[in-house]
Amino acid sequence: QVQLVESGGGLVQVGGSLSLSCVASKLPFNYPMGWFRQAPGNEREFVAAITWSGGSTIYADFVKGRFTISIDNARNTVHLQMNSLKPEDTAVYYCASHGTYSSNRNSYKPTYWGQGTQVTVSS
């Protein structure tokens, strides 16, 4: 079983930036990793995903141009750099790993989940 631990969440003003990190207990060799988020009263939604090699990425339309996902294989860590944050970005952000990744379908369905980290964007 893979354990995922997120960090970097917090309170930021509109237009600000935050960088989230997720450390895996074991290197998810040749498996994808990604980020999801869930706002109060809403369903959990996909944010971004990346292959283990870092050679392919998928982004939700609402974060394209603002968020960047990256992976550091040596440190078993995936990052999410979030810029130009908006109030609607407020949510609990969850790290995820393994599962199925499809560039053609713009779809990532993970197997393992972290506990989440709160991101609050205030106006």
Side-chain angles (χ1 to χ4, degrees), residues 13-34:
Q13 291 188 318
V14 172
S17 299
L18 282 175
S19 182
L20 305 183
S21 297
C22 173
V23 180
S25 60
K26 298 180 180 179
L27 180 67
F29 184 78
N30 206 30
Y31 285 94
M33 298 185 71

Side-chain angles (χ1 to χ4, degrees), residues 44-88:
R44 188 171 299 186
E45 62 183 354
F46 170 77
V47 175
I50 189 169
T51 57
W52 184 84
S53 68
S56 178
T57 57
I58 303 172
Y59 291 98
D61 288 340
F62 56 82
V63 302
K64 288 182 178 178
R66 299 191 298 124
F67 293 7
T68 302
I69 188 170
S70 61
I71 191 166
D72 184 345
N73 295 319
R75 299 182 179 183
N76 300 348
T77 303
V78 65
H79 303 278
L80 184 68
Q81 178 64 48
M82 305 185 294
N83 300 323
S84 302
L85 285 164
K86 307 173 181 179
E88 51 264 44

Side-chain angles (χ1 to χ4, degrees), residues 6-12 18-21 82 91 93 116-120:
E6 303 97 333
S7 63
L11 176 65
V12 65
L18 282 175
S19 182
L20 305 183
S21 297
M82 305 185 294
Y93 283 71
T117 185
Q118 178 70 49
V119 172
T120 302

